[in-house]
Amino acid sequence: MVPRVICGSFPLLGVIAGGLVGLVFAVFLVAFMLYRMKKKDEGSYSLDEPKQSNGGYQKPHKQEEFYA
């Protein structure tokens, strides 16, 4: 026969263990997010040189209609 004190403490131990595992997981997740944010900012683009336009869309000089 198991004493009543031991039976009453098992659910409490489970809640404490689950809370600790959740806390460790949350700390790991935050650390991983900070690592990824720091890695993302490392030299992905240059701030010294302005980006050159490749022409893109230009409005035509005269309006013409083309029929297909």
Side-chain angles (χ1 to χ4, degrees):
M1 190 126 223
V2 179
R4 181 111 174 117
V5 175
I6 294 175
C7 288
S9 64
F10 280 131
L12 180 62
L13 290 175
V15 168
I16 291 173
L20 288 176
V21 169
L23 182 65
V24 168
F25 183 73
V27 168
F28 174 74
L29 187 63
V30 169
F32 182 70
M33 287 173 56
L34 291 175
Y35 167 75
R36 292 290 292 174
M37 286 175 60
K38 183 178 178 184
K39 185 178 177 184
K40 183 179 174 182
D41 288 339
E42 289 179 358
S44 60
Y45 53 88
S46 175
L47 296 176
D48 297 334
E49 304 171 12
K51 196 171 189 179
Q52 297 294 328
S53 175
N54 62 356
Y57 175 78
Q58 296 178 353
K59 189 173 181 179
H61 296 290
K62 59 182 180 174
Q63 295 286 355
E64 294 183 27
E65 290 187 25
F66 296 96
Y67 298 103

